[in-house]
Amino acid sequence: MDPLSNKRIVNLLLCWFFIGVSCNSVEKKIYVHLNYTVPCVRLLNATHQIGCQSSLSGNVGVLHVLESEENLDWVLKTGRNPPYLVILESPLFTRSIMMKLKNGSGRVAGVAVVAPNSNPLEGFSPHTTCPNENTGVYSENYDPTMAHCNVTKWNPLGNGLAYEEFDFPIFSLKDDNETQIIRQCYLDHNRPVNGSTPQYPLCAMQLYSHMSAVTDTATCMRRNDINFSISPEMVCDPLGDYNVWASTRPINNTEKGHKMWESVVIAAARLDSRSFFFDIAPGAESGASGFVTLLAAAHALRNATQQAQPNRTILYTFFQGETFDYIGSSRMVYDMQNSQFAVDLDNVHSVLEIGQVGLRADSKLWVHSDPVSRRNSSVDEEVAKLIANLKSAADKSNVSVNEPSSSQPLPPSSFQRFLRARPIPGIVLEDHQSAFTNRFYESMYDNAEYLNMSYPPNLTPEEQLEYVTETAKALTEVATTVARTLYMQAGGGEPQLSSISADPNIVTRLLYGFLVRSNNSWFQQLLPSDLMSQLANRPTNLYVGVSQQFSEPTLLVQHLLANLTGSVVNVTQDDCQNQRQDENDKENKHIYYYMWVQGAAPPNSTQREGFCIRSTVRLSKALSPAFDLREYTSKDYSTWTESRWKSIKGRIFLVASHDLEMLTLGVGFAVLLTSFVLTYVISSKADMLFSSGREPTTATY
């Protein structure tokens, strides 16, 4: 290649580079991108779809900050520049306003809700009044009088907003500098003065959240199976994850099904929660209060069950996906019925479930049982013994145990899925007698603030981690009561009870790690190095997610439970990661799980000293049986799926008037046509215009 060609290539590359830089610079001058946006996404089940989405190219609308519900007329009727993208302060994020915007969606391009820095005074729950209404035990066949929450509306503040479908995007915005930019842009360009129409240019917003799935789960799963290319495009995924479980006595997990002479007491809690927005599910009261209590109780029982093993095995179970029609518990029951789990239903002696226990009034704990199954005398007798054990354990702590009316059904709980299979003795512990105490059930306000987790000012994050809050003290009392009850229910003797006490330092660390920030020194010590990316400087998101990937709470609870119930063993990292005690060990992997964690760094060192934990902790699938059976319209199992999407983003910019845009387009076409005419004329007259005297080629000098 000659030097001239090289020079041309270099010049061409430089030209492309500067064009790219110039375009990027222009783009930055036009748009302000929003970095802290969380969308409402589309979910589907056997019958319909819920949630939100934008058009394929994103929805664009003129910004309008809604100042009151009366101000809706501007958006829905009188405003002259629709469609509008409505900015809502959190007090205006109500069902009344959202349904009006939904019904006027021809003039509404989208909604952005400004998440507050503190909780509202009034209750807010976007869930229904009767959670998991059609997949619990109370059906027309079981007891018609108790079906559909006829006796008790468990969530009276539920407005059902999270189960509506919106044909425009709805985002949550963090109340920070970006939100101030949006407000200022509105004040500078869009705010009507004395009812007058604001002048162009106007401030606009564009939201992208196009969803691939439509109609229902059966439709999207059928589309998943259509293979038009080598790499077919999936449009939705089943909701699901893994249940976490462990036992006080090693159980062979390789041999599935019934275990002769084995009797287990199941201690259960749910792991998940949700809110209206996809990535904000703190679930402090609805989820964390229960599973933190069970983790602390399991830790309290570690020494007692090792020193004086009771007759029955305690099976700690943490169910995933319970918010969406009991995904985790229904799967475990299904596996037990089909000999796909370590034990079966014949091995289950009784169940003790911990529900919402973080908001106890006057230190009261309410014990709920199923009045229908208790009509069976043997079940009633065992339930009475379980309640007696609980009351005996509570007598030695600052917990008051109470029973609601004998005719009241169970609240929404995983135990209901066991009762659908057969009558099993069991109880559910809650902090409410009838309707939920939780005013923010399944909402973004069900957070640490709502559980009154407050810290003295000027504490560092590590000092907050170790500070024992009043909430931690209260849950420690519940955990101690639960641990002692489980020990007695498993056949343990009373002399051991005094040594069984939950540790308030463990409880306060658990609460801090799940509800304030998971990226703390204690969690770091208890996880393998390759899971450090799961820790974040924010509360843990308890949304179950899709079955193709582990959720944050599953991984955290798995490793925390192993550390709290297992023991440190002196084996090499290689042997530990290969699930063995040594090179000749072929058996332990069937009854134990080995986990290498990174540990803490000694003083004056940055190198962590890892160690091996041996425990009985296992994972089991928390995917609805409907997807294994390909029964996408099932009425017995959860059918929830989550739509896939290409991108989630938002940006603001100034938009010119439609007339100016048309004028600009017209001028552009005129210039284009003029250039065509000039080019034609110049080309046709080229010989005349560009002719010049040339010397003959044969000229010599």
mmCIF file of all heavy atoms in Angstrom, residues 52-81:
data_model
loop_
_atom_site.group_PDB
_atom_site.id
_atom_site.type_symbol
_atom_site.label_atom_id
_atom_site.label_comp_id
_atom_site.label_asym_id
_atom_site.label_seq_id
_atom_site.Cartn_x
_atom_site.Cartn_y
_atom_site.Cartn_z
ATOM 1 N N CYS A 52 -46.857 -2.678 33.841
ATOM 2 C CA CYS A 52 -46.740 -1.495 32.992
ATOM 3 C C CYS A 52 -45.769 -1.756 31.850
ATOM 4 O O CYS A 52 -44.917 -2.643 31.938
ATOM 5 C CB CYS A 52 -46.220 -0.302 33.802
ATOM 6 S SG CYS A 52 -46.803 -0.229 35.511
ATOM 7 N N GLN A 53 -45.876 -0.937 30.802
ATOM 8 C CA GLN A 53 -44.892 -0.992 29.727
ATOM 9 C C GLN A 53 -44.979 0.269 28.881
ATOM 10 O O GLN A 53 -45.987 0.982 28.896
ATOM 11 C CB GLN A 53 -45.096 -2.218 28.845
ATOM 12 C CG GLN A 53 -46.215 -2.100 27.822
ATOM 13 C CD GLN A 53 -45.973 -2.927 26.574
ATOM 14 O OE1 GLN A 53 -44.940 -3.569 26.417
ATOM 15 N NE2 GLN A 53 -46.935 -2.926 25.672
ATOM 16 N N SER A 54 -43.894 0.529 28.121
ATOM 17 C CA SER A 54 -43.878 1.637 27.165
ATOM 18 C C SER A 54 -43.990 1.072 25.761
ATOM 19 O O SER A 54 -43.984 -0.146 25.558
ATOM 20 C CB SER A 54 -42.578 2.430 27.307
ATOM 21 O OG SER A 54 -41.485 1.695 26.760
ATOM 22 N N SER A 55 -44.060 1.953 24.789
ATOM 23 C CA SER A 55 -43.985 1.519 23.398
ATOM 24 C C SER A 55 -42.562 1.065 23.096
ATOM 25 O O SER A 55 -41.653 1.252 23.906
ATOM 26 C CB SER A 55 -44.383 2.662 22.466
ATOM 27 O OG SER A 55 -43.441 3.721 22.582
ATOM 28 N N LEU A 56 -42.357 0.488 21.937
ATOM 29 C CA LEU A 56 -41.048 -0.046 21.578
ATOM 30 C C LEU A 56 -39.978 1.038 21.573
ATOM 31 O O LEU A 56 -38.832 0.800 21.965
ATOM 32 C CB LEU A 56 -41.118 -0.724 20.207
ATOM 33 C CG LEU A 56 -39.864 -1.460 19.740
ATOM 34 C CD1 LEU A 56 -39.509 -2.583 20.707
ATOM 35 C CD2 LEU A 56 -40.067 -2.028 18.333
ATOM 36 N N SER A 57 -40.330 2.243 21.149
ATOM 37 C CA SER A 57 -39.363 3.343 21.082
ATOM 38 C C SER A 57 -39.402 4.232 22.319
ATOM 39 O O SER A 57 -38.754 5.274 22.358
ATOM 40 C CB SER A 57 -39.629 4.197 19.840
ATOM 41 O OG SER A 57 -40.947 4.705 19.853
ATOM 42 N N GLY A 58 -40.158 3.820 23.337
ATOM 43 C CA GLY A 58 -40.267 4.636 24.547
ATOM 44 C C GLY A 58 -41.417 5.626 24.440
ATOM 45 O O GLY A 58 -41.796 6.040 23.344
ATOM 46 N N ASN A 59 -41.982 6.000 25.559
ATOM 47 C CA ASN A 59 -43.077 6.973 25.597
ATOM 48 C C ASN A 59 -42.533 8.361 25.897
ATOM 49 O O ASN A 59 -41.749 8.538 26.825
ATOM 50 C CB ASN A 59 -44.103 6.592 26.666
ATOM 51 C CG ASN A 59 -44.995 5.444 26.228
ATOM 52 O OD1 ASN A 59 -44.617 4.640 25.392
ATOM 53 N ND2 ASN A 59 -46.181 5.367 26.809
ATOM 54 N N VAL A 60 -42.965 9.337 25.105
ATOM 55 C CA VAL A 60 -42.535 10.724 25.270
ATOM 56 C C VAL A 60 -43.737 11.572 25.642
ATOM 57 O O VAL A 60 -44.802 11.463 25.026
ATOM 58 C CB VAL A 60 -41.886 11.270 23.978
ATOM 59 C CG1 VAL A 60 -41.469 12.722 24.174
ATOM 60 C CG2 VAL A 60 -40.700 10.419 23.571
ATOM 61 N N GLY A 61 -43.559 12.413 26.656
ATOM 62 C CA GLY A 61 -44.640 13.299 27.043
ATOM 63 C C GLY A 61 -44.107 14.574 27.658
ATOM 64 O O GLY A 61 -42.993 14.615 28.186
ATOM 65 N N VAL A 62 -44.911 15.615 27.589
ATOM 66 C CA VAL A 62 -44.566 16.890 28.205
ATOM 67 C C VAL A 62 -44.700 16.742 29.722
ATOM 68 O O VAL A 62 -45.702 16.224 30.222
ATOM 69 C CB VAL A 62 -45.484 18.010 27.693
ATOM 70 C CG1 VAL A 62 -45.257 19.299 28.464
ATOM 71 C CG2 VAL A 62 -45.251 18.227 26.202
ATOM 72 N N LEU A 63 -43.690 17.181 30.458
ATOM 73 C CA LEU A 63 -43.690 17.034 31.913
ATOM 74 C C LEU A 63 -44.800 17.866 32.555
ATOM 75 O O LEU A 63 -45.013 19.027 32.196
ATOM 76 C CB LEU A 63 -42.351 17.494 32.488
ATOM 77 C CG LEU A 63 -41.206 16.488 32.528
ATOM 78 C CD1 LEU A 63 -39.987 17.154 33.150
ATOM 79 C CD2 LEU A 63 -41.588 15.268 33.318
ATOM 80 N N HIS A 64 -45.490 17.222 33.508
ATOM 81 C CA HIS A 64 -46.449 17.978 34.324
ATOM 82 C C HIS A 64 -46.360 17.468 35.748
ATOM 83 O O HIS A 64 -46.620 16.286 36.017
ATOM 84 C CB HIS A 64 -47.874 17.817 33.808
ATOM 85 C CG HIS A 64 -48.869 18.628 34.586
ATOM 86 N ND1 HIS A 64 -49.029 19.986 34.388
ATOM 87 C CD2 HIS A 64 -49.718 18.292 35.595
ATOM 88 C CE1 HIS A 64 -49.948 20.446 35.217
ATOM 89 N NE2 HIS A 64 -50.379 19.427 35.966
ATOM 90 N N VAL A 65 -45.988 18.338 36.668
ATOM 91 C CA VAL A 65 -45.917 17.975 38.080
ATOM 92 C C VAL A 65 -47.300 18.145 38.675
ATOM 93 O O VAL A 65 -47.828 19.258 38.745
ATOM 94 C CB VAL A 65 -44.889 18.846 38.831
ATOM 95 C CG1 VAL A 65 -44.904 18.512 40.318
ATOM 96 C CG2 VAL A 65 -43.495 18.644 38.258
ATOM 97 N N LEU A 66 -47.903 17.032 39.093
ATOM 98 C CA LEU A 66 -49.248 17.080 39.657
ATOM 99 C C LEU A 66 -49.176 17.594 41.087
ATOM 100 O O LEU A 66 -48.520 17.004 41.942
ATOM 101 C CB LEU A 66 -49.874 15.677 39.619
ATOM 102 C CG LEU A 66 -51.382 15.614 39.857
ATOM 103 C CD1 LEU A 66 -52.123 16.268 38.696
ATOM 104 C CD2 LEU A 66 -51.840 14.175 40.022
ATOM 105 N N GLU A 67 -49.865 18.705 41.344
ATOM 106 C CA GLU A 67 -49.802 19.332 42.663
ATOM 107 C C GLU A 67 -50.939 18.906 43.576
ATOM 108 O O GLU A 67 -50.823 18.990 44.801
ATOM 109 C CB GLU A 67 -49.776 20.846 42.505
ATOM 110 C CG GLU A 67 -48.525 21.322 41.754
ATOM 111 C CD GLU A 67 -48.567 22.796 41.425
ATOM 112 O OE1 GLU A 67 -49.640 23.413 41.620
ATOM 113 O OE2 GLU A 67 -47.542 23.343 40.973
ATOM 114 N N SER A 68 -52.045 18.465 42.985
ATOM 115 C CA SER A 68 -53.180 17.976 43.767
ATOM 116 C C SER A 68 -54.074 17.177 42.837
ATOM 117 O O SER A 68 -53.935 17.229 41.609
ATOM 118 C CB SER A 68 -53.971 19.135 44.387
ATOM 119 O OG SER A 68 -54.590 19.896 43.361
ATOM 120 N N GLU A 69 -55.018 16.436 43.414
ATOM 121 C CA GLU A 69 -55.917 15.631 42.580
ATOM 122 C C GLU A 69 -56.805 16.527 41.722
ATOM 123 O O GLU A 69 -57.179 16.152 40.608
ATOM 124 C CB GLU A 69 -56.774 14.717 43.471
ATOM 125 C CG GLU A 69 -57.586 13.719 42.687
ATOM 126 C CD GLU A 69 -58.146 12.584 43.546
ATOM 127 O OE1 GLU A 69 -57.842 12.541 44.754
ATOM 128 O OE2 GLU A 69 -58.883 11.743 43.000
ATOM 129 N N GLU A 70 -57.136 17.708 42.232
ATOM 130 C CA GLU A 70 -57.951 18.644 41.440
ATOM 131 C C GLU A 70 -57.214 19.108 40.191
ATOM 132 O O GLU A 70 -57.821 19.515 39.202
ATOM 133 C CB GLU A 70 -58.337 19.858 42.294
ATOM 134 C CG GLU A 70 -59.305 19.558 43.440
ATOM 135 C CD GLU A 70 -58.666 18.788 44.575
ATOM 136 O OE1 GLU A 70 -57.421 18.913 44.744
ATOM 137 O OE2 GLU A 70 -59.377 18.050 45.283
ATOM 138 N N ASN A 71 -55.888 19.052 40.241
ATOM 139 C CA ASN A 71 -55.060 19.494 39.127
ATOM 140 C C ASN A 71 -55.054 18.499 37.962
ATOM 141 O O ASN A 71 -54.473 18.752 36.908
ATOM 142 C CB ASN A 71 -53.634 19.710 39.640
ATOM 143 C CG ASN A 71 -52.737 20.418 38.643
ATOM 144 O OD1 ASN A 71 -51.635 19.970 38.391
ATOM 145 N ND2 ASN A 71 -53.212 21.520 38.070
ATOM 146 N N LEU A 72 -55.754 17.356 38.138
ATOM 147 C CA LEU A 72 -55.786 16.327 37.092
ATOM 148 C C LEU A 72 -56.457 16.801 35.808
ATOM 149 O O LEU A 72 -56.181 16.288 34.728
ATOM 150 C CB LEU A 72 -56.518 15.080 37.605
ATOM 151 C CG LEU A 72 -55.691 14.047 38.359
ATOM 152 C CD1 LEU A 72 -56.586 12.968 38.941
ATOM 153 C CD2 LEU A 72 -54.660 13.422 37.428
ATOM 154 N N ASP A 73 -57.379 17.769 35.935
ATOM 155 C CA ASP A 73 -58.093 18.246 34.744
ATOM 156 C C ASP A 73 -57.141 18.758 33.674
ATOM 157 O O ASP A 73 -57.402 18.627 32.473
ATOM 158 C CB ASP A 73 -59.081 19.357 35.124
ATOM 159 C CG ASP A 73 -60.418 18.780 35.569
ATOM 160 O OD1 ASP A 73 -60.588 17.556 35.420
ATOM 161 O OD2 ASP A 73 -61.258 19.535 36.080
ATOM 162 N N TRP A 74 -56.035 19.359 34.113
ATOM 163 C CA TRP A 74 -55.062 19.871 33.136
ATOM 164 C C TRP A 74 -54.492 18.728 32.293
ATOM 165 O O TRP A 74 -54.318 18.855 31.088
ATOM 166 C CB TRP A 74 -53.938 20.610 33.862
ATOM 167 C CG TRP A 74 -52.922 21.189 32.925
ATOM 168 C CD1 TRP A 74 -51.770 20.607 32.480
ATOM 169 C CD2 TRP A 74 -52.992 22.463 32.280
ATOM 170 N NE1 TRP A 74 -51.107 21.436 31.620
ATOM 171 C CE2 TRP A 74 -51.845 22.588 31.465
ATOM 172 C CE3 TRP A 74 -53.910 23.520 32.313
ATOM 173 C CZ2 TRP A 74 -51.580 23.715 30.703
ATOM 174 C CZ3 TRP A 74 -53.655 24.647 31.557
ATOM 175 C CH2 TRP A 74 -52.503 24.738 30.759
ATOM 176 N N VAL A 75 -54.226 17.614 32.951
ATOM 177 C CA VAL A 75 -53.668 16.457 32.244
ATOM 178 C C VAL A 75 -54.729 15.774 31.392
ATOM 179 O O VAL A 75 -54.487 15.440 30.230
ATOM 180 C CB VAL A 75 -53.075 15.450 33.253
ATOM 181 C CG1 VAL A 75 -52.591 14.186 32.544
ATOM 182 C CG2 VAL A 75 -51.931 16.083 34.028
ATOM 183 N N LEU A 76 -55.902 15.587 31.953
ATOM 184 C CA LEU A 76 -56.917 14.757 31.304
ATOM 185 C C LEU A 76 -57.828 15.520 30.349
ATOM 186 O O LEU A 76 -58.445 14.908 29.470
ATOM 187 C CB LEU A 76 -57.768 14.068 32.374
ATOM 188 C CG LEU A 76 -56.999 13.162 33.355
ATOM 189 C CD1 LEU A 76 -57.950 12.593 34.401
ATOM 190 C CD2 LEU A 76 -56.292 12.037 32.611
ATOM 191 N N LYS A 77 -57.909 16.878 30.501
ATOM 192 C CA LYS A 77 -58.885 17.599 29.679
ATOM 193 C C LYS A 77 -58.352 18.899 29.071
ATOM 194 O O LYS A 77 -58.359 19.071 27.854
ATOM 195 C CB LYS A 77 -60.149 17.913 30.504
ATOM 196 C CG LYS A 77 -60.909 16.682 30.956
ATOM 197 C CD LYS A 77 -62.105 17.080 31.817
ATOM 198 C CE LYS A 77 -62.864 15.846 32.300
ATOM 199 N NZ LYS A 77 -64.003 16.214 33.187
ATOM 200 N N THR A 78 -57.911 19.827 29.923
ATOM 201 C CA THR A 78 -57.703 21.198 29.456
ATOM 202 C C THR A 78 -56.314 21.488 28.908
ATOM 203 O O THR A 78 -56.143 22.438 28.145
ATOM 204 C CB THR A 78 -58.006 22.191 30.599
ATOM 205 O OG1 THR A 78 -57.126 21.899 31.702
ATOM 206 C CG2 THR A 78 -59.449 22.049 31.065
ATOM 207 N N GLY A 79 -55.305 20.741 29.319
ATOM 208 C CA GLY A 79 -53.955 21.004 28.831
ATOM 209 C C GLY A 79 -53.877 20.881 27.315
ATOM 210 O O GLY A 79 -54.434 19.940 26.730
ATOM 211 N N ARG A 80 -53.165 21.819 26.657
ATOM 212 C CA ARG A 80 -53.162 21.880 25.186
ATOM 213 C C ARG A 80 -51.980 21.177 24.542
ATOM 214 O O ARG A 80 -51.838 21.217 23.311
ATOM 215 C CB ARG A 80 -53.188 23.344 24.734
ATOM 216 C CG ARG A 80 -54.437 24.082 25.174
ATOM 217 C CD ARG A 80 -54.455 25.500 24.638
ATOM 218 N NE ARG A 80 -55.637 26.237 25.085
ATOM 219 C CZ ARG A 80 -55.899 27.503 24.766
ATOM 220 N NH1 ARG A 80 -55.033 28.174 23.996
ATOM 221 N NH2 ARG A 80 -56.992 28.098 25.209
ATOM 222 N N ASN A 81 -51.126 20.540 25.365
ATOM 223 C CA ASN A 81 -49.934 19.909 24.785
ATOM 224 C C ASN A 81 -49.803 18.437 25.189
ATOM 225 O O ASN A 81 -48.760 17.989 25.630
ATOM 226 C CB ASN A 81 -48.677 20.659 25.234
ATOM 227 C CG ASN A 81 -48.713 22.123 24.857
ATOM 228 O OD1 ASN A 81 -48.855 22.464 23.686
ATOM 229 N ND2 ASN A 81 -48.591 22.992 25.853
#
